[in-house]
Amino acid sequence: MSEEERKAETTAPQAPSAASAANRAAGAGESGAKAEAKPAAAKAQAAKAAPPDPRVEAAKAVAEQIKQVLVREFGEAAVEETGVAHRTPMVRVRKQDWPKAVEFLRTHPDWKLNYAECMAGTDYPDYIEIVLYVQSTELGHFVCLKTRTDRDPAEVPSLVASHPGLNWEEREIYDLLGVRFTGHPDLRRIMMWEGFKGHPLRKDYREWD
Amino acid sequence: MWDWQNASPLTGLNFVAMVVGAVVVLAIGLGVVTYTIYAERKVIGWMQGRIGPNRVGPFGLLQSIADIVKLLIKEDVVPERADRVLFLLAPVIAFIPSFMVLAVIPFSARHPFTANLAVGALYYIALSAITIHGVMLGGWASNNKYALIGGMRSAAQMLSYEVPLGLSLVGVILMAGSLNLNDIVEAQARSGWWYIVPQFLGFCVFLVAATAELNRTPFDLPEAESELVAGYHVEYTGFRFAFFMLTEYLYLFAMGGLMATLFLGGWTGPWLPGWLWFAIKVFAFIFFQFWLRATMPRIRVDQLMSFSWKVLLPLALLNLVVTAVLKAFLS
Amino acid sequence: MAQTEETLERLGVPADKLEHHRLRLDDDPDVRTEEMLLNVGPQHPSTHGVFRLLVKIRGETILDAEPVIGYLHRGTEKLAEDLQYTQIIPYTDRLDYLAAMLNNYALCHTVEEALGLEIPERAEYLRVIVMELQRIASHLLFIGTYLLDLGAMSPFLYVFQERERIVQMFNKICGARLTYNYMRIGGVKWDAPPGWLDEVRAFVPFMKERIKMYDDLITGNEIFLNRTRGIGQYDTETALKYGLSGINLRCTGFAWDLRRKKPYSIYDRFEFDIPVGTRGDCFDRYYLHLLEMQQSLRIVEQALDQIPDSGPVLGKVPKLIRVPKGEYYSGIEGARGELGFYIVSDGKDKPYRLKIRKPSFVNLQLLPELLRGQNIANLIAILGAVDIVLGEVDA
């Protein structure tokens, strides 16, 4: 999929069939990543029917701003996608630029995203996604940063250099999802024992194989 | 038969009396320990808003006895990698001196079981120092890191507190002019005041150093359960463990006796019989130790050492010098 | 010498601290000392559960400490993928089992945010009351266990008296004393039984009195001060870098409380302060627990005044809760720090992925950093003040 198509999809949020206000807000939080299956045209039509949530619109604007900052620094290819993760601005960064981009945003005077709140990995059918929710304690920004890696081999550069607090989170993701964090100082299993086979949080994990 | 202390040469009958005396003192000691443990659990229980033992016997009075029986019938486990001989010997080395020091404690004015030793105070200090070997060996022979650290801490602590403890006694000895504990009690009766008044500084040093010697809160580092699990006796079970416990509580009793003798006038006191006065004074000390245990957190090991050498020792020396100077001037 | 350096390098002692260790280790060339590995835990009275700390010591100095966790790992996140949202709630009880109400709420809150549900007023107030009571109960237990770690045994038994009253109240409102399963998506399961709110009202002055008592008994104790003042100190920058939250962050003087910074539920209706420390040491962490209990009592008092007399306690929620496709994260101020749930939904009644942001887990990471170069006697004091619950660390 080209860059333009992807952008078009994410900027046109999918509206759910149920017209309740609750679902509207939530549906707008669609990252677009999982919406690929449905035809884009149907979605665009649905989006017209439902007035957009102002909070979602604001988040989207913020995500665009971050994209511009990152693009200026790392080039057009660094940012793969922008959007919202349920009212939180979401920016998906290319894997190679992941630690640099996070460190850049941590020290950037306009963003200062210095406080990593939550890091998670999710196993999707075609890729593994690493999510990082970062907060600026000074400026109040709260942003969702993402990156993607292939499932096999799953490899992402480590963030420990800029956020030492993510050390164990990355170990946990390595342990349970099998993502190798290159440059991690101490990448070992943390929850399971050494010698354990497999990565339990992967969707294709079977206990008795 | 009972005046064996002055008997010379020793006759067979006198010897029998000595043995009987030792057994009686041992029995008293064991009885006191049994009910000291019961009292500790009960008193601390009340202080903490609990009931304490109340199931075995009326008011739980047989609880300690049940515990002792349990310890007696437990398997005597020796860790495989332990130094077997020393491991088995250590509780004995620790226990024997604790029982021997009771020989010089004057329980009442006239009873035949107190060795009327001319160097009573010195004897107490000297013997109680032997216990350290048992504790240290026990910790070392267990081949357990916690036990080792506990044993080492214990040795360091007891050695450093022995010095101020010994020095705090010297003030009293200077005033009484005798090392004999019986003489010290009589000297207090003659002088008309207990030595706690003129020797108040010495008493304070004694009290702190005694608490540390006994490894009781806030100086219970050798057996700090939250740090060292149980300290030097972590590998001991059954009756060998009981020996260590017995040692500790016998020392508690003996130290109370020593304090009562040196500072509170021993068995002397109005109206009540001598042994009762003595018991009251000893249990005041023991109660004080319970109270501390329910109140205080534990001191840190480096602070413990510096407290002994930088605070207690100078105070004890000061007390000694002042006592000596005053005695020289007043007499 | 060379060997020492190698050892330190292998242990990962940072370069700026190398000099410090070298001085300590090699100050006496005649003494040959050996490193000793001390295994603190998993069976140890002061690790608050099955937590293992591998400590490398030379003499009394800690060269390195390596926390080993996972003994209590139950795979809550994996289990949740096969459970409907309501069914996950009892599993959250087992995370931080000392503050189960807060865990309940954190999950429900995230799902409610995702659904955009309206919560009935009375339910919101009931939630706030039980959450703040739970915070008090949890902080009480911290004070008790921390003092127990430091060798004082009485406070541990004292705090259980107040905690017992809270637990009894919880028992009355939801029928459980530890794992409550009280909250539901859209409200709470049970309304307060008659007289329950009065009981809470009576508890507030009693608790205030007790907090004053603890302050009198513990705070000024010379031995306690000596063991906690200046021990395990760190600054705000370190705390933020390591992602610390809760009291572990606030003790450095940084007022970060999610109840204020990102108000959830109805916390914007209450007046309360965010107590912060000044030095970031163990004493501050202890003292903040006392101060936070006072603030919690303030919130409970105000909530009792404002709570509507009657009304529904469970909002209109579909029988089968399907969270719309998307991803959601929201954190609340738990008893130990930021407690968050990250949910990825594919539109079904079960989460596609559920990730728990566990405050104890994150806070614990700083421990080796704090212990390195310390005297071994401070180990327990520092570990205790981090305030971990293993059920949460291992999830």
Side-chain angles (χ1 to χ4, degrees), chain C residues 362-379:
Chain C
V362 180
N363 292 349
L364 190 56
Q365 287 181 72
L366 191 58
L367 186 69
E369 204 58 41
L370 292 179
L371 289 179
R372 227 165 268 161
Q374 283 279 1
N375 191 306
I376 191 161
N378 290 332
L379 189 153

Side-chain angles (χ1 to χ4, degrees), chain A residues 19-31:
Chain A
S20 78
N23 284 359
R24 193 155 59 237
E30 188 55 69
S31 68

Side-chain angles (χ1 to χ4, degrees), chain B residues 7 20 22 31-32 45 80 83 107 140 146 162 170 190 197 205 209 219 242 251 253 258 261 274 287 309 312 314 320:
Chain B
V20 170
V32 168
E80 199 181 75
D83 188 325
F107 298 114
W140 184 79
Y146 288 116
E162 207 120 89
V170 181
R190 268 200 311 278
V197 184
V205 174
F219 305 104
Y251 268 123
F253 174 52
L258 191 66
T261 309
F287 176 80
W309 296 107
L312 281 186
L320 179 59

